[in-house]
Amino acid sequence: MRAYFDGNSLGIPLAASRDRLAGLVGTWSSRLIRAWDEEWMALPETVGDRIGALTLGAAAGQVVVGDSTTVLLYKLIRAALAARPGRDEIVIDDDNFPTDRFVVERIAAELGKTVRWLPVDRHSGVEPAQVREVAGERTALVVLSHVAYRSSHLADAAEITRIAHDAGALVLWDVCHSVGSVPIQLDGWGADLAVGCTYKYLNGGPGSPAFAYVRADLQDELEQPIAGWMGSAAPFDMGPHYEPARGIRRFLSGTPPIVAMQPMRDMLDLIERAGMTAVRRKSVALTEFVLEIADADLAAAGVTVATARDAARRGGHVTLEHPDARAVTARAWERGVIPDFRGPHGIRIGLSPLSTSFAEVADGLAVLRECVEG
Ligand SMILES: *Cc1c(COP(=O)(O)O)cnc(C)c1O
């Protein structure tokens, strides 16, 4: 492979993860079931706290790891709607990630709620003014992505959260496309809820579990719909009825995915060493570099930029457009340059700040140009 431009979709494995996974197998074989008490039972919260402290701007006790993003969206959206019983609208944009839109649509149908779709330009994303226009006494919940998966638009999360709160609504941020590349301040924004993936910029590996953030003072008020023993107050009492655990643990349902939770810990160690400020600085420099090359070398071949020029409104990837994007992407893959195609005309250049080099970008985009030219 010559250039990997999909770290925003599946991050590369860290060398340290080989040893960590081997260590896990060692603990599993030597300690067997005793390892649950000795270490594993606490991992959803201890790894969650680390994600929170290093990447989310979240104080301890508010982040838990488990399930997929999709399942956590379902759980938190249901919990939020139940906490706002007099309100019947969910606000979401019409170009949010498919799973977010599908979950919202289905829950609305189940509960007889209304979806207020915000129309967004595919080249940018949701602006605070759009939320201000629709948020009101009917709004129960606003569900938005911090960085748009398609355009890389970086939402003004602090301002949008404030607008939603002024209307008495709750806000859920999907940080899948920002966590590990763009600094996040969930506590600072006053966010209520958030979910995010760990297999993208957190390099957790295929199918690694997602995390949920629930603001501390909301936790005991919220009731999630998948009542399982692992989220109950005393799982090993094997009691007759579900009594939710206090705190963030109540958002768990079944047995936590311990094996799949290992590789992300290596990336968290690396982020701790670099610091999110430096990660973002490199990320901005990488996206600027792509824009420079796009203007200087690719524009003449008919490639346009579908991502914000203002770095303050841009996440960690750049989306280019070309009428023949699907075929261009296929040709690039054959030559070991791996961006991804997002219809109808998008070629996403994902730049994982700690693993993508400037030389790789220059080389990969030179190949891409040849692919555009045929
Ligand atoms: C990648 C991504 C998801 C994926 O959800 P899964 O349940 O992990 O498949 C959801 N939302 C956004 C914004 C994403 O970028």
Side-chain angles (χ1 to χ4, degrees):
M1 196 179 55
R2 283 177 73 166
Y4 188 57
F5 292 146
D6 259 324
N8 61 324
S9 205
L10 178 65
I12 67 172
L14 272 72
S17 292
R18 262 181 220 281
D19 289 343
R20 189 184 292 273
L21 285 167
L24 184 277
V25 175
T27 305
W28 174 16
S29 56
S30 62
R31 303 308 298 156
L32 288 166
I33 201 169
R34 293 166 291 186
W36 276 111
D37 287 337
E38 292 163 1
E39 184 187 351
W40 297 338
M41 213 56 169
L43 278 185
E45 287 165 272
T46 53
V47 177
D49 279 347
R50 252 174 99 60
I51 294 172
L54 294 169
T55 67
L56 302 178
Q62 302 178 102
V63 180
V64 73
V65 179
D67 303 315
S68 63
T69 305
T70 302
V71 172
L72 290 176
L73 280 167
Y74 181 80
K75 287 158 71 161
L76 295 192
I77 292 170
R78 284 286 304 261
L81 296 179
R84 288 290 180 277
R87 294 166 175 253
D88 69 342
E89 288 187 354
I90 312 166
V91 173
I92 184 170
D93 65 289
D94 66 2
D95 200 33
N96 208 325
F97 194 86
T99 218
D100 302 57
R101 290 183 281 110
F102 298 165
V103 168
V104 162
E105 227 172 2
R106 179 58 59 88
I107 290 176
E110 270 175 3
L111 302 179
K113 307 278 183 189
T114 300
V115 183
R116 280 297 286 261
W117 296 103
L118 299 178
V120 296
D121 177 356
R122 302 290 186 265
H123 295 179
S124 59
V126 177
E127 295 299 338
Q130 293 178 280
V131 179
R132 194 175 294 117
E133 207 171 289
V134 300
E137 57 193 23
R138 291 181 63 181
T139 315
L141 177 67
V142 176
V143 179
L144 295 174
S145 287
H146 183 213
V147 167
Y149 81 100
R150 190 195 301 276
S151 69
S152 195
H153 176 80
L154 176 57
D156 185 345
E159 179 64 5
I160 290 173
T161 300
R162 203 181 54 73
I163 292 165
H165 285 174
D166 284 349
L170 294 169
V171 185
L172 187 161
W173 285 104
D174 183 330
V175 298
C176 281
H177 254 84
S178 50
V179 65
S181 71
V182 179
I184 296 167
Q185 294 296 337
L186 293 175
D187 288 352
W189 303 340
D192 303 296
L193 307 162
V195 296
C197 304
T198 62
Y199 51 79
K200 293 175 178 166
Y201 294 108
L202 292 183
N203 304 51
S208 63
F211 57 84
Y213 164 94
V214 180
R215 206 180 68 217
D217 60 306
L218 274 178
Q219 290 170 6
D220 291 336
E221 177 193 335
L222 293 191
E223 214 165 84
Q224 61 107 337
I226 307 178
W229 70 315
M230 283 292 163
S232 72
F236 294 98
D237 282 2
M238 305 290 174
H241 300 294
Y242 174 76
E243 174 69 41
R246 292 190 66 79
I248 192 70
R249 205 149 179 110
R250 67 171 52 196
F251 298 94
L252 290 180
S253 296
T255 301
I258 300 302
V259 179
M261 227 183 269
Q262 301 306 318
M264 71 176 80
R265 301 170 74 185
D266 296 309
M267 188 58 179
L268 291 168
D269 290 349
L270 201 60
I271 288 175
E272 182 168 37
R273 275 164 54 200
M276 275 308 299
T277 304
V279 169
R280 172 65 172 165
R281 204 181 310 127
K282 168 98 184 278
S283 170
V284 168
L286 284 165
T287 53
E288 290 287 350
F289 191 45
V290 170
L291 294 176
E292 261 172 49
I293 296 174
D295 291 341
D297 299 336
L298 299 173
V303 174
T304 54
V305 171
T307 291
R309 296 275 174 179
D310 176 5
R313 294 271 63 88
R314 185 171 73 228
H317 65 280
V318 173
T319 300
L320 304 175
E321 288 192 336
H322 185 272
D324 209 13
R326 186 192 291 273
V328 169
T329 304
R331 285 200 286 275
W333 277 47
E334 274 169 29
R335 297 187 52 186
V337 172
I338 317 288
D340 67 14
F341 168 69
R342 284 292 178 271
H345 304 304
I347 302 171
R348 279 195 321 181
I349 309 296
L351 305 150
S352 195
L354 294 181
S355 59
T356 309
S357 73
F358 292 93
E360 188 181 6
V361 171
D363 183 42
L365 294 184
V367 170
L368 194 74
R369 177 184 168 170
E370 291 167 13
C371 295
V372 171
E373 287 166 347

